[in-house]
Amino acid sequence: MHYRELGTSGIEVSEVGFGAWVVGTDWWGDRSDEDSIEMIHHAIDQGITFFDTGDVYGLGHSEEVVGEALADYRDEVTVATKVGYDFYNNPQAGHGELPKVITGEWVREATEKSLERLDMEYVDLLQLHNANVEEVTPDVLETLDELKEEGLIKATGWALGPSIGWLAEGDMAITEEFDALQIVWNMFEQEVGNHFLDTIDETGSETSLIARVPHSSGLLNEQVRPETELGAGDHRGFRPDEWYETGWEKLETLRFLERDGERSMAQASIAWLLGFDATAAVTPTFRTKDDITEWAAASDVPKLSDEEMQRVADLYADNFGIDRFDGMDALRSSVGGDDIRDAGLDKRVAEGARNEA
């Protein structure tokens, strides 16, 4: 395992991190707390030191599990959490988004409650969870600075989702010199990552990128195949058929990245993200200890060559040679979709709706 610095914070993270949204929730399969703790300990054995959770995951339960699992390793690991959702006063309805509260007062209160659940004196990285630009006021920024000064947090981040705020939010995180910006980013979904790489270059910012969903929700690691039957609660079951069908076709064009015995497609998907200097860590969605063993090793597999990186970029620019949409454009838009469209990133707007019903 190799390690990188998070922004200019001096905080070190493992190149492959553990996304703790899989523990304390049932969105990625049922498992006991004992199983979750065993997974976290196995991750540590594989060299993983970066653990990323959030207060809303399992309505606080993920933090409790992570805190218990890491109690004997606190000085050896980097712990991140997220705040911004009011699950204290609102019930979770399926996979729907809960109401957000992002004010200076709320950020402080939520952080203190997270520390109680984690049973930790500080969190290494505190991230605003899906905050919109207008919500991150001077009061919120001042509170983050105060939490740093008080030693309750070591670094600041902004975690974004594809349907809840995107370009303007990430650009603000970069220009405001947040230490980390977490985004959905993979070989099938490159637009937003490319945009933020450009923003970092243009501004000279030291903000690091944390990439989640590196396997495009099971396509790039081949855990979702044509014959796969998804469980009733699996969030991927809400995706359109076109997403699967085009994904399997795209995957075949990337087979050149595999190296028998040296680099699997799942590892190559992580290694591709680590090929960008701005990337600090990649957080796959581990479901089993076997996943952890294989994907943690992606930090040590042969790096992608410049030629391989360029070939992936060229394939993406040509939509992998596929002349139809994957049915996901509407789900990728941010609030109102305006910033995506203004940047020319909505294919239906930029190229015309070739797939109209």
Side-chain angles (χ1 to χ4, degrees), residues 35-333:
D35 290 338
S36 295
I37 291 171
E38 188 175 338
M39 285 179 64
I40 291 172
H41 288 168
H42 183 68
I44 293 173
D45 291 341
Q46 306 308 307
I48 292 176
T49 60
F50 177 47
F51 294 86
D52 177 29
T53 184
D55 66 355
V56 74
Y57 300 150
L59 308 183
H61 190 54
S62 176
E63 290 180 325
E64 294 172 346
V65 173
V66 168
E68 181 179 351
L70 298 180
D72 294 334
Y73 301 91
R74 185 64 187 96
D75 294 337
E76 304 168 32
V77 296
T78 298
V79 179
T81 194
K82 309 176 188 73
V83 298
Y85 283 106
D86 181 9
F87 60 90
Y88 301 98
N89 302 302
N90 299 278
Q92 179 74 53
H95 291 185
E97 185 187 7
L98 288 165
K100 283 185 293 181
V101 181
I102 299 177
T103 63
E105 181 180 6
W106 181 268
V107 168
R108 174 175 289 280
E109 291 180 1
T111 300
E112 291 172 351
K113 290 178 180 177
S114 287
L115 291 174
E116 290 177 8
R117 286 188 292 268
L118 289 163
D119 194 19
M120 296 178 180
E121 294 181 356
Y122 68 91
V123 66
D124 296 282
L125 174 65
L126 180 71
Q127 301 162 94
L128 301 179
H129 203 172
N130 290 328
N132 299 122
V133 165
E134 63 272 14
E135 295 170 326
V136 185
T137 62
D139 177 51
V140 170
L141 295 174
E142 182 178 352
T143 298
L144 292 174
D145 288 340
E146 291 172 352
L147 292 172
K148 266 188 178 182
E149 292 170 3
E150 296 166 21
L152 298 181
I153 68 174
K154 303 295 184 183
T156 58
W158 200 326
L160 302 178
S163 61
I164 316 170
W166 220 208
L167 299 184
E169 287 72 19
D171 284 345
M172 181 176 175
I174 292 168
T175 57
E176 289 289 343
E177 295 282 359
F178 277 65
D179 296 293
L181 172 62
Q182 183 173 162
I183 60 173
V184 173
W185 190 16
N186 56 66
M187 287 191 284
F188 289 169
E189 298 170 277
Q190 297 184 33
E191 287 126 321
V192 174
N194 290 339
H195 176 87
F196 293 140
L197 288 173
D198 288 342
T199 303
I200 289 170
D201 286 342
E202 292 165 2
T203 61
S205 172
E206 297 290 341
T207 299
S208 291
L209 299 178
I210 298 172
R212 65 183 181 89
V213 200
H215 296 129
S216 192
S217 299
L219 289 176
L220 284 163
N221 57 16
E222 300 186 78
Q223 289 188 345
V224 177
R225 301 170 182 266
E227 67 274 14
T228 302
E229 293 185 12
L230 298 172
D234 195 310
H235 72 287
R236 294 169 298 180
F238 296 99
R239 297 189 176 223
D241 290 342
E242 295 93 332
W243 176 71
Y244 300 102
E245 294 162 0
T246 59
W248 294 320
E249 291 182 47
K250 293 172 184 177
L251 179 65
E252 294 306 313
T253 70
L254 294 169
R255 293 292 183 192
F256 68 92
L257 294 175
E258 295 177 304
R259 295 189 185 181
D260 188 31
E262 289 189 307
R263 190 170 69 196
S264 67
M265 181 61 71
Q267 292 170 333
S269 301
I270 296 171
W272 174 77
L273 289 160
L274 293 172
F276 299 98
D277 291 339
T279 304
V282 181
T283 54
T285 300
F286 299 121
R287 288 179 171 81
T288 67
K289 289 195 290 185
D290 286 343
D291 288 345
I292 296 170
T293 301
E294 178 186 356
W295 303 346
S299 178
D300 295 310
V301 301
K303 298 182 183 300
L304 270 65
S305 66
D306 292 343
E307 291 76 15
E308 287 173 321
M309 294 290 286
Q310 186 59 53
R311 188 169 174 185
V312 173
D314 292 342
L315 280 167
Y316 186 79
D318 189 43
N319 198 33
F320 300 87
I322 299 172
D323 189 27
R324 66 182 189 280
F325 294 110
D326 63 4
M328 289 290 289
D329 282 346
L331 300 179
R332 290 194 187 101
S333 297

